[in-house]
Amino acid sequence: MSATRATSLTNSQNTLLYSAESVRAIDQYVIENQGVEGFELMQRAAAAAFRQLVREWPQASPLLVLCGGGNNGGDGYLVAAAARRHGLRVRCVAVKDPAKLKGDAASAYQKAKSDGVSIDHWDQLDDGDRKALFGSAGLIVDAMLGTGVKGAPREPVATIIEACNEASAPVLAVDIPSGLDATTGVTEGAAIHAAVTVTFIALKSGLFLGQGPECAGRVDFEALDLAVEASVHGQTPNALRFDWSGLRRQLPRRPVTAHKGRFGHLLVVAGDHGFGGAGLMAAEAAARCGAGLVTLATRPEHVTAALTRCPSLMVRGIGHGSELAELIEAADILVCGPGLGQHAWGQQMLQQVLKSGRPRVLDADALNLMAKQEPVEFDQQVLTPHPGEAARLLQCSVKDIEADRLDAATSLQRKYGGVTLLKGAGTVVADGQSGPWVLDGGNPGMATGGMGDILSGMIGALMGQGLAPMDAARMAAGLHLAAANLASRHWGYMGLLPMDVLAVVPRLLAVAEGLVDGGEL
């Protein structure tokens, strides 16, 4: 999970994410209303980037600084100048003709030259020189494309980005990795894969959405000694950022006199022929996350396996939807969809769940079946689609979903009510009121079947303990990712299984409850 270092920021400000357009407006507001000239702001940004460079890679040499044609390039020229003044070996390359630079970027170029920085022009280097640049670099500084660039990078930037990604040297991105959309996190062509991104003035939502976590690496925030509260005046964040570390203190506390009736009776409706494990994982996840009682309604042939695996569950074999009414009547929260199938059995189960009016979590095939029906809004529910399921629900393509994950989650919420949790790196949670919220980080080990099943059980368990759907969805998503990150330390990414993740959930909960020391967690 990416870590963010805040400088002169409160926790609430460190949560706010802004679009590229809003960040540019904030930048302009600072220049016009806080008495900070544009070139001074650029100098502060370069100094902050250079400080991070020295902290992270104190021995890196030589530096290769790649400068574009806008203000992002100006930052790069000043980083190169700072490196030169501090006695570091530095190669600076003008990706665009410096003669075409304007304003503060032109001033930065002149400052670098006056400080003795040797600046090569990319179009004047032959193939051998270009190859040698990347082969000898100890660290690459990406200052080519800024927040205002949209679409796929053009040449020669696209070729340079590919060379950066193939080089052995790590990359420090200045403000935003070149090729990454600062608002959506979309990459339409080549994009820098940085080890660290130092971003300024306001956090850009694209760093945490879509390809953002992959491209940005660790995100370090620098406020540049600005009065940020005043700077963002008039600009509304397009999202808010969250993770488990910020939410775990909100975990409901259990009184000594607690009993199982206080923590909800969860009914998991799941597991058609051949998919018995899905329902079992959801049910066991609910039990491990504090549900007072958990009943699993599944195909009769799955009962023995479920009880053998987790005897604390109540398991009922169901052959027809009419048999479900009694179980629904006894439950407080319903989870429906894992391994449900889209045949007659699954259809019957879902219809009983939908007409019950009980608070619910809907996942997997429950969503696929709903996509074939007229939408019905319901406030007390959480939908947990992956991009493919979201595309079916919105009748569009997966590419459309990934092109703007914030808009996709918000559109689903408007269509179905309640809460939508759009899964994937940079999970988005929307309820039409606060947020939308973006989960900071991702884990490639979670790209395997069953991870969503345990998430649905976790959400249902937290709802059963009194959390509102939005709070339950965010807390479960944060816990889910934190557990995956912890389990990956032992199992790695390729070998990670859902039950490995579930196995460490109680440990994280015990730390949150203050029962054990978190150590390095």
Coordinates of all heavy atoms in Angstrom, one line a residue, residues 8 36 87 125 201 259 278 350-351 384 401 452 457 461 467 479 486:
S8 N 3.2 19.9 6.7 CA 2.3 21.1 7.0 C 0.9 20.9 6.7 O 0.2 21.8 6.2 CB 2.8 22.4 6.4 OG 4.2 22.6 6.7
V36 N 2.8 34.8 -3.5 CA 3.9 33.9 -3.9 C 3.9 34.0 -5.4 O 3.0 33.6 -6.1 CB 3.6 32.5 -3.4 CG1 4.8 31.6 -3.8 CG2 3.4 32.5 -1.9
G87 N 27.0 19.6 -5.5 CA 28.2 18.8 -5.9 C 27.9 17.4 -6.5 O 28.8 16.6 -6.6
L125 N 21.1 14.3 -29.7 CA 21.8 13.1 -29.3 C 21.6 11.9 -30.2 O 20.5 11.7 -30.7 CB 21.3 12.6 -27.9 CG 21.5 13.7 -26.7 CD1 20.8 13.1 -25.5 CD2 23.0 13.9 -26.5
I201 N 1.2 20.9 -3.5 CA 0.1 21.8 -3.2 C -1.2 21.1 -2.9 O -1.9 21.4 -1.9 CB -0.2 22.8 -4.4 CG1 1.1 23.7 -4.6 CG2 -1.4 23.7 -4.2 CD1 1.0 24.6 -5.8
H259 N -23.1 -9.8 24.3 CA -23.6 -11.1 24.0 C -23.8 -11.2 22.5 O -23.9 -10.1 21.8 CB -24.9 -11.5 24.8 CG -26.0 -10.5 24.5 ND1 -26.8 -10.6 23.5 CD2 -26.4 -9.5 25.3 CE1 -27.7 -9.6 23.5 NE2 -27.5 -8.9 24.6
A278 N -17.4 -20.5 -2.4 CA -17.6 -19.1 -2.4 C -18.5 -18.7 -1.1 O -18.2 -17.7 -0.4 CB -18.3 -18.6 -3.6
L350 N -32.1 -14.9 -5.2 CA -32.0 -13.5 -5.3 C -33.3 -12.8 -5.2 O -33.5 -11.8 -4.4 CB -31.3 -13.1 -6.6 CG -31.2 -11.5 -6.8 CD1 -30.3 -10.9 -5.8 CD2 -30.6 -11.2 -8.2
Q351 N -34.3 -13.3 -5.8 CA -35.7 -12.7 -5.7 C -36.2 -12.7 -4.3 O -36.8 -11.7 -3.8 CB -36.7 -13.4 -6.6 CG -36.4 -13.2 -8.1 CD -36.2 -11.8 -8.5 OE1 -37.0 -10.9 -8.1 NE2 -35.0 -11.5 -9.1
T384 N -21.1 -4.6 -4.6 CA -19.6 -4.7 -4.6 C -19.1 -5.2 -6.0 O -18.5 -6.3 -6.0 CB -19.1 -5.6 -3.5 OG1 -19.7 -6.9 -3.7 CG2 -19.5 -5.1 -2.1
I401 N -15.7 2.0 -17.8 CA -15.6 2.0 -16.3 C -14.3 2.5 -15.9 O -14.2 3.3 -15.0 CB -15.9 0.6 -15.7 CG1 -17.3 0.1 -16.1 CG2 -15.7 0.6 -14.2 CD1 -18.5 0.9 -15.5
G452 N -13.2 -11.4 -3.4 CA -14.5 -10.6 -3.3 C -15.5 -11.3 -2.4 O -16.3 -10.6 -1.7
G457 N -18.6 -10.9 2.9 CA -18.9 -11.3 4.3 C -18.4 -10.3 5.4 O -19.1 -10.1 6.4
A461 N -20.8 -8.4 8.1 CA -20.6 -8.6 9.5 C -20.5 -7.2 10.2 O -21.1 -7.0 11.3 CB -19.2 -9.3 9.8
L467 N -22.8 -0.7 12.1 CA -22.2 0.3 11.2 C -23.1 0.6 10.1 O -23.7 -0.3 9.5 CB -20.8 -0.1 10.7 CG -19.6 0.2 11.5 CD1 -19.6 -0.6 12.8 CD2 -18.3 0.0 10.8
L479 N -9.7 -2.9 5.8 CA -9.2 -4.1 6.5 C -8.8 -5.2 5.5 O -7.8 -5.9 5.7 CB -10.3 -4.6 7.5 CG -10.0 -5.9 8.2 CD1 -8.8 -5.8 9.1 CD2 -11.2 -6.2 9.1
L486 N -0.5 -7.8 4.7 CA 0.2 -8.5 5.8 C 0.5 -9.9 5.4 O 1.6 -10.5 5.6 CB -0.6 -8.4 7.1 CG -0.1 -9.1 8.3 CD1 1.3 -8.6 8.6 CD2 -1.0 -9.0 9.5

